[in-house]
């Protein structure tokens, strides 16, 4: 029986990152994976879906006439789209495999293919298939077991007519019509992708009154408007009664609060109602690990209820993002090596929603601030006043900067909706982490022309020294404070004393 310092179960983003960090500390590492290196984050998650989104965005740009020219006779087949997606995925897989092979030849890591489960808290059984199995022991174990699409018990997912995100790459062609159940991030992203290509009539079932319920209303409203402009039909406030395959088509029935019922048939259905952790069949009950009712690990800064076993990535109840998964994987190794005693922070997490347009965020939004009863000040600027957006002929978007409601005006959060939104958030994430004031953001020299200049202008608005004045363009610019009780008061922008006429 082989023994290791660290066993990492799962070679997705969190597990792979953990294994590489353990190598840095000279640990004897065993990396166990039952499927493919890279996990869902590469094969049927972030990388694959974002490749589809990029292709759909570029195709829509070709087909539009808003740039002063128009391309005729442009076309794209689903097979060519999927081929490009697979190429992107395989390119990334090759990088990961090349590095893993290098360290395996050096004797620094052992890669084992198979399904792992605990025999004891320190003994791990590995089922290699075909009746073959083995056992190893490990001083420390990291569970990076990932997640899978959540399936509803009353809907039969067959992978052909009714599918999840795992099956998108297996479709033979663009469906003529598709219904997407779930109006969260993943559902809205696939609604964007299929509607961008313009070959599929998209229906989106939203049980709530609006899509993206965790985001601010103005962002959700704008995204919904753009989806509808793209041809997406949103079933708002709809409860699904049934969904089944009838005569080779997907039939679904909806009911509404006012008593209405609606039945439609479409070619395909995509179930997008969240994900669940792969915590079953690991023998966790046998070793007494504490889990939530939904199967997530109850962890303390990545450490599980069993001292030498750590949980990272989608196995924890934190935000399920690749960047967070990698961070947690590395952090778990540093904790077990007593290298880093500082707990992970989640208040400056940067995220992107790949919609039309994209939405970038970091820190707190208005919805969260009001729910927590936090007083704040906010500046909002439309894209039409940002030179880069004007040059791109893409001025449909806005920037929202949130700061504390005090003299310091510490940066709390940022939301950017529009093209190139993802290029704006990293400086703000750093400033939030450093607990910096909006005054420091206002004095940074931003590249010109760029979208981040709009963030700087928001900072200047809050300080009363913006170039574009909100009292002139009141329809497109907002600057207000919100009290702990939620009362809104417009901020009156007055000249700074140093800039008054007598001191000019």
């Amino acid at each position: 029986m082989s023994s290791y310092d660290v066993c990492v179960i799962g070679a997705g983003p969190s597990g792979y990152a953990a294994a590489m960090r353990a190598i840095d500390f000279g640990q004897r590492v065993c990396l166990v994976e039952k499927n493919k290196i890279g996990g869902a984050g590469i094969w049927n998650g972030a990388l694959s879906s974002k490749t589809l989104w990029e292709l759909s965005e570029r195709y829509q740009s070709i087909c539009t006439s808003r740039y002063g020219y128009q391309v005729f006779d442009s076309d794209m087949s689903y097979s060519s789209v999927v081929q490009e997606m697979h190429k992107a995925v395989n390119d990334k897989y090759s990088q990961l495999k090349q590095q893993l092979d290098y360290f395996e030849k050096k004797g620094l890591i052992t890669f084992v293919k198979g399904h792992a489960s605990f025999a004891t808290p320190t003994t791990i059984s590995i089922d290699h298939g075909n009746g073959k199995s083995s056992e190893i022991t490990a001083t420390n174990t990291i569970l990076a077991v990932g997640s899978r699409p959540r399936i509803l018990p009353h809907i039969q997912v067959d992978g052909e007519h009714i599918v999840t995100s795992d099956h998108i790459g297996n479709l033979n062609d663009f469906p003529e019509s598709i219904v997407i159940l779930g109006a969260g991030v993943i559902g809205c992203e696939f609604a964007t992708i299929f509607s961008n290509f313009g070959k599929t009539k998209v229906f989106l079932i939203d049980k709530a009154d609006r899509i993206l319920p965790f985001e601010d209303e103005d962002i959700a409203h704008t995204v919904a408007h753009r989806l509808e402009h793209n041809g997406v039909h949103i079933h708002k406030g709809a409860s699904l009664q049934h969904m089944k395959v009838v005569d080779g088509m997907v039939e679904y029935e909806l009911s509404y609060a006012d008593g209405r019922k609606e039945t439609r048939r479409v070619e395909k259905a995509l179930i997008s109602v969240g994900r669940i952790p792969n915590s079953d069949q690991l023998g966790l009950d046998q070793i007494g690990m504490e889990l939530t009712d939904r199967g997530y690990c109850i962890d303390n800064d990545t450490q599980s209820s069993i001292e030498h076993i750590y949980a990272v990535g989608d196995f924890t109840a934190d935000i399920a993002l690749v960047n967070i998964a990698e961070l947690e994987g590395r952090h778990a190794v540093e904790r077990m090596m007593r290298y880093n005693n500082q707990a992970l922070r989640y208040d400056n997490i940067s995220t992107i929603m790949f919609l039309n347009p994209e939405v970038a965020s970091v820190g707190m939004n208005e919805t969260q601030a009001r729910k927590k009863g936090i007083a704040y000040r906010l500046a909002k600027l439309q894209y039409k006043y940002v030179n880069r957006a004007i040059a791109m002929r893409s001025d449909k978007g806005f920037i929202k900067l949130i700061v504390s409601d005090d003299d310091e005006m510490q940066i709390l959060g940022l939301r950017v909706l529009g093209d190139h939104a993802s290029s704006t958030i990293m400086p703000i994430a750093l400033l939030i982490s450093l607990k910096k004031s909006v005054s420091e953001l206002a004095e940074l020299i931003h590249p010109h022309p760029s979208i981040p200049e709009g963030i700087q202008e928001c900072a200047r608005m809050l300080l009363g020294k913006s170039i574009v004045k909100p009292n002139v363009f009141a329809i497109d610019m907002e600057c207000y404070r919100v009290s702990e009780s939620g009362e809104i008061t417009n901020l009156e922008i007055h000249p700074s004393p140093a800039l008054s006429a007598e001191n000019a």
Side-chain angles (χ1 to χ4, degrees), residues 221-242:
H221 175 77
T222 303
V223 171
H225 176 75
R226 292 293 290 271
L227 284 172
E228 290 170 336
H229 180 75
N230 236 18
V232 177
H233 180 86
I234 303 176
H235 297 292
K236 299 175 182 177
S239 296
L240 180 67
Q241 298 303 302
H242 77 255

Side-chain angles (χ1 to χ4, degrees), residues 324-393:
I324 303 303
E326 291 178 343
L327 181 67
E328 290 178 341
R330 294 167 56 82
H331 182 73
V333 173
E334 293 176 358
R335 279 208 65 189
M336 70 175 61
M337 298 304 301
R338 306 294 189 268
Y339 178 79
N340 183 2
N341 293 322
Q342 185 174 357
L344 283 175
R345 290 181 55 187
Y346 295 92
D347 59 350
N348 65 331
I349 295 173
S350 302
T351 64
I352 311 169
M353 291 187 284
F354 291 83
L355 308 172
N356 183 4
E358 63 186 85
V359 178
S361 64
V362 61
M364 192 176 298
N365 63 16
E366 287 195 88
T367 301
Q368 294 166 332
R370 295 188 186 191
K371 186 175 181 180
K372 294 179 180 180
I374 297 175
Y376 63 92
R377 300 180 193 179
L378 178 142
K380 181 176 178 180
L381 177 72
Q382 297 293 325
Y383 255 41
K384 64 169 69 176
Y385 299 104
V386 182
N387 286 358
R388 182 59 183 273
I390 296 172
M392 291 190 299
R393 313 309 298 145

